[in-house]
């Protein structure tokens, strides 16, 4: 027997309509390229999104067409987040930190017709434009079009919008319609496009806001530091308006000082970003001897969260840091570490340790582990295998690509993990980063976290290097705090107290900085190449 409930589609335009109707006077604050702050409300956001939909429609953009963005987190980008999918087109967010040839490849693969870009990226757009013949309109996200000798069909966003009506009826269509496209920054082969749907985006936003996940409420002021070109800023541009949260968008100024100023000035209560960003914020606050007065919670994801960071934020800044795990293919929310209120009875040290675990699947997500033969492994906290995931916002394939990521209906993540009997998941490695020494696995993440527990260590990255006896041994690259007086023998002794003796690398190299990729992760392939080059000398 079927239930007798209305079959209304879940559409992104409904989030906007709801925000404008229910939280119409809630503010959006956006940092412009010149550093000034722009303010308006969800009501005004909705009005300008309708204008943008009309402007795109007048440009010939119809249902299913792809519209690309190359932009920071700001209010104009937010308008595109609603207007493009709202009208039934597909928002393709591009990462400006990628190589121009890779960007051009993606624009061509996606068959983008319009490119909305931050004027700061004009030189980059000029480089790729000649390689992207399908893009018929370039829109500079500013008051007027910048001067360009290379771009034909270039307009300024505000002029373009002013010429369009703000009357637009958001169409109704199948909730499984594609809404967004985001390419994974894969290190081998061509990037792969993950195609989100309205259904997946709305369900993801609903779960993202709930108590087990980010716990967003009307009282929150949310600062998404994670870029809107990286997995939809983890869904915050949808989840914040859905929950009536005030939204603060930092533009391109992501250094510690600018972020601190914004957090204080706008009384931010909640923020989200990758560990490298929080590292620079923490360094700024330590140097200046300041702490945030309103920010209480922060979610860190994208890479493993070192315990030192959880401790530092809790003890020095009174900010609770939780860890989220996910990937482009998972929209991204898969798991969240336990919240402080779940842990009231345990010691602070135990709470910090728990925060370093990737945590529990949120509602809608199921996890499993696959052994080398594909058989599922027990959830006993010990068995390690490739992490499998399934749920309504997990990719089932890639856009115009024959790679098949599903194994028996599960998405194979490429992460190695263990899951305990209580369902708590811990990532130990990426499949391709695994270090196997004498037939036993060494967790590069555990080794890196152990090194980063040393007060003089800012960053650490372990790679496996060939060894005649053990097949592979760990090699540890370490960035030290400025002026630190630590030698490798001392660090080795420190590690011996924290990890198994045989895990401790014979080779530790101090480096000035780490190669960080476009999405804030250490690029281990560059470290491996560096090692091979050094070994050949
Ligand atoms: P991306 O698709 O660029 O967001 O990268 C996803 C990958 O980042 C995952 O497969 C993990 O390897 C890594 N990752 C994301 N979040 C975490 C986390 N909390 N801990 C460890 N690794 C993570």
């Amino acid at each position: 027997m079927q239930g007798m409930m209305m079959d209304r589609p879940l559409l992104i335009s409904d989030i906007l309509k709801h925000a404008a109707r229910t939280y119409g006077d809630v503010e959006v604050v956006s940092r412009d390229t010149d550093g000034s702050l722009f303010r308006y409300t969800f009501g005004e956001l909705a009005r300008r999104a309708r204008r943008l939909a009309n402007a795109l429609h007048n440009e010939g953009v119809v249902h299913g067409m792809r519209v690309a963005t190359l932009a920071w987190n700001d209010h104009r980008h937010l308008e595109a987040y609603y207007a493009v999918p709202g009208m039934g087109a597909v928002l393709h967010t591009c990462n400006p930190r990628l190589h121009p040839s890779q960007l051009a490849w993606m624009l061509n693969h996606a068959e983008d017709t319009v490119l909305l870009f931050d004027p700061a990226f004009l030189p980059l757009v000029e480089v790729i434009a000649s390689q992207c013949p399908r893009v018929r309109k370039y829109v500079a996200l500013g008051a007027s079009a910048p001067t360009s000798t290379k771009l034909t069909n270039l307009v300024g966003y505000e002029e373009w919008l002013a010429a369009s009506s703000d009357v637009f009826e958001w169409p109704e269509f199948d909730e499984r319609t594609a809404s967004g496209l985001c390419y994974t920054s894969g290190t081998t082969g061509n990037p792969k496009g993950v195609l989100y749907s309205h259904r997946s985006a709305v369900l993801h936003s609903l779960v993202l806001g709930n108590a087990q996940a980010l716990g967003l409420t009307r009282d929150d002021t949310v600062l998404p530091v994670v870029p809107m070109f990286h997995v939809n800023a983890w869904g915050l541009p949808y989840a914040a308006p859905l929950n009536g949260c005030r939204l603060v968008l930092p533009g391109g100024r992501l250094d510690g000082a600018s972020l601190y100023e914004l957090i204080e000035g706008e009384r931010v209560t909640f923020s989200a970003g990758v560990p490298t960003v929080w590292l620079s914020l923490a360094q700024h606050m330590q140097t200046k001897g300041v702490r945030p007065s309103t920010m209480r919670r922060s979610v860190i994801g994208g890479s493993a969260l070192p315990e030192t960071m959880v401790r530092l934020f809790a003890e020095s800044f009174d900010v609770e840091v939780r860890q989220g795990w996910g990937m482009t293919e998972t929209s991204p929310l898969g798991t969240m570490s336990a919240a402080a209120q779940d842990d009231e009875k345990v010691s602070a040290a135990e709470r910090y340790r728990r925060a370093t675990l990737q945590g529990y699947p949120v509602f809608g997500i199921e996890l499993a582990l696959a052994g080398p033969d594909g058989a599922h492994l027990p959830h006993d906290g010990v068995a390690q295998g490739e992490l499998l995931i399934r749920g309504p916002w997990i990719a089932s394939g890639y856009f115009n690509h024959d790679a098949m990521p599903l194994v028996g209906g599960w998405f194979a993540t490429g992460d190695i993990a263990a899951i305990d009997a209580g369902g708590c998941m811990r990532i130990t490695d990426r499949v391709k980063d695994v270090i196997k020494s004498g037939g036993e696995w060494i967790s590069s993440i555990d080794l890196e976290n152990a090194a980063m527990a040393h007060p003089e260590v800012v960053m650490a990255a372990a790679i496996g290097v060939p060894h005649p006896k053990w097949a592979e041994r760990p090699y540890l690259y370490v960035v030290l705090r400025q002026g630190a007086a630590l030698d490798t023998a001392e660090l080795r002794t420190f590690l011996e107290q924290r990890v198994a003796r045989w895990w401790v690398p014979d080779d530790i190299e101090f480096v000035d900085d780490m190669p960080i990729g476009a999405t804030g992760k250490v690029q281990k392939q560059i470290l491996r190449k560096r090692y091979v080059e050094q070994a050949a000398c």
Side-chain angles (χ1 to χ4, degrees):
M1 198 195 312
Q2 296 265 294
M4 294 173 70
M5 288 291 136
M6 290 185 192
D7 194 7
R8 302 281 303 146
L10 300 170
L11 299 178
I12 287 172
S13 54
D14 289 321
I15 299 180
L16 184 64
K17 285 193 272 186
H18 173 71
R21 204 166 39 222
T22 316
Y23 312 117
D25 56 354
V26 172
E27 207 180 28
V28 178
V29 182
S30 167
R31 205 195 277 276
D32 234 320
T33 320
D34 65 3
S36 63
L37 293 177
F38 171 86
R39 294 168 194 278
Y40 67 6
T41 62
F42 285 151
E44 186 65 12
L45 162 69
R47 206 163 69 80
R48 282 173 49 99
R50 294 195 297 269
R51 269 191 199 284
L52 176 55
N54 271 323
L56 288 165
H57 180 78
N58 296 342
E59 203 53 53
V61 173
V62 294
H63 197 90
M65 274 189 179
R66 271 77 69 198
V67 173
T69 60
L70 197 59
W72 295 117
N73 295 11
D74 65 17
H75 68 287
R76 298 186 180 105
H77 203 176
L78 187 65
E79 289 157 15
Y81 256 64
Y82 285 99
V84 176
M87 66 189 293
V90 180
L91 182 79
H92 172 203
T93 50
C94 299
N95 185 339
R97 296 181 185 135
L98 293 174
H99 190 271
S101 61
Q102 213 170 9
L103 266 176
W105 185 93
M106 287 178 189
L107 287 167
N108 287 328
H109 188 265
E111 299 180 11
D112 294 308
T113 48
V114 176
L115 174 63
L116 309 173
F117 68 96
D118 189 296
F121 303 133
L122 179 66
L124 175 60
V125 174
E126 286 183 332
V127 169
I128 59 176
S130 62
Q131 302 164 49
C132 302
R134 279 204 185 83
V135 179
R136 60 169 99 123
K137 189 93 180 176
Y138 290 90
V139 183
L141 295 168
S144 54
T147 315
S148 170
T149 50
K150 298 209 176 76
L151 294 182
T152 50
N153 258 342
L154 171 66
V155 287
Y157 184 80
E158 295 301 336
E159 291 169 352
W160 192 51
L161 231 59
S164 297
S165 153
D166 63 5
V167 180
F168 187 88
E169 199 62 46
W170 298 111
E172 211 169 88
F173 41 75
D174 187 332
E175 64 183 16
R176 288 162 296 184
T177 302
S179 62
L181 179 62
C182 193
Y183 283 78
T184 59
S185 44
T187 47
T188 50
N190 283 328
K192 297 192 279 286
V194 179
L195 198 57
Y196 308 104
S197 69
H198 284 257
R199 175 183 156 80
S200 75
V202 172
L203 290 174
H204 180 263
S205 307
L206 286 169
V207 171
L208 193 68
N210 78 20
Q212 193 218 335
L214 309 188
L216 298 177
T217 72
R218 180 73 211 263
D219 296 330
D220 278 312
T221 291
V222 173
L223 171 75
V225 178
V226 50
M228 286 164 75
F229 54 75
H230 186 209
V231 212
N232 302 317
W234 297 350
L236 287 169
Y238 297 136
L242 192 152
N243 288 286
C245 308
R246 196 164 158 265
L247 196 52
V248 178
L249 302 169
R253 298 196 179 194
L254 303 178
D255 59 286
S258 304
L259 284 179
Y260 181 74
E261 184 211 303
L262 198 57
I263 288 168
E264 283 307 281
E266 295 306 320
R267 305 185 64 75
V268 168
T269 62
F270 172 86
S271 186
V274 294
T276 37
V277 164
W278 299 120
L279 201 61
S280 77
L281 177 67
Q283 278 167 349
H284 171 78
M285 294 195 290
Q286 279 177 315
T287 315
K288 297 281 172 201
V290 292
R291 56 197 285 172
S293 45
T294 51
M295 193 164 92
R296 289 288 161 264
R297 290 172 299 130
S298 178
V299 165
I300 296 188
S303 321
L305 172 61
E307 188 177 320
T308 36
M309 194 174 284
V310 187
R311 184 184 294 274
L312 176 72
F313 271 84
E315 294 179 359
S316 304
F317 309 130
D318 197 19
V319 174
E320 182 205 351
V321 171
R322 289 180 68 193
Q323 175 165 204
W325 169 87
M327 49 201 308
T328 308
E329 288 91 335
T330 67
S331 291
L333 187 62
T335 68
M336 283 293 301
S337 64
Q341 63 265 32
D342 300 339
D343 296 333
E344 266 166 7
K345 291 188 195 72
V346 299
S347 66
E350 175 59 10
R351 270 207 309 276
Y352 302 153
R353 190 194 67 81
R354 289 187 189 177
T356 66
L357 308 177
Q358 280 68 22
Y360 300 87
V362 292
F363 169 76
I365 294 297
E366 284 179 272
L367 301 177
L369 298 173
D373 57 358
H376 284 200
L377 301 174
H379 295 184
D380 57 8
V382 179
Q384 290 184 35
E386 182 170 8
L387 182 67
L388 307 179
I389 186 169
R390 67 181 179 194
W393 51 87
I394 309 301
S396 60
Y398 292 106
F399 177 62
N400 276 346
H401 201 291
D402 46 19
M404 190 49 213
L406 298 195
V407 184
W410 294 84
F411 177 83
T413 62
D415 283 342
I416 302 288
I419 302 174
D420 71 19
C424 184
M425 187 271 286
R426 177 171 65 94
I427 301 272
T428 53
D429 255 306
R430 289 287 296 161
V431 171
K432 59 184 188 318
D433 291 346
V434 154
I435 304 172
K436 215 164 192 188
S437 187
E440 300 283 344
W441 281 358
I442 293 176
S443 160
S444 60
I445 292 183
D446 287 353
L447 191 56
E448 289 155 7
N449 280 344
M452 282 191 276
H454 194 290
E456 300 294 357
V457 173
V458 177
M459 227 184 250
I463 59 166
V465 300
H467 190 276
K469 182 169 175 196
W470 304 111
E472 233 178 17
R473 287 295 297 153
Y475 189 102
L476 192 65
Y477 290 94
V478 173
V479 179
L480 292 179
R481 206 169 284 287
Q482 250 184 356
L486 180 71
D487 63 34
T488 54
E490 279 173 274
L491 182 54
R492 218 169 280 122
T493 311
F494 179 83
L495 287 174
E496 276 167 16
Q497 292 151 15
R498 280 169 176 74
V499 296
R501 174 71 193 83
W502 63 275
W503 278 32
V504 177
D506 313 311
D507 298 302
I508 297 178
E509 186 180 331
F510 294 138
V511 289
D512 292 339
D513 50 24
M514 272 315 162
I516 303 287
T519 56
K521 297 186 216 309
V522 174
Q523 291 182 301
K524 291 202 176 173
Q525 75 279 16
I526 294 185
L527 293 177
R528 287 194 195 94
K529 203 166 146 231
R530 192 187 287 177
Y531 175 83
V532 170
E533 283 164 6
Q534 273 174 1
C537 289

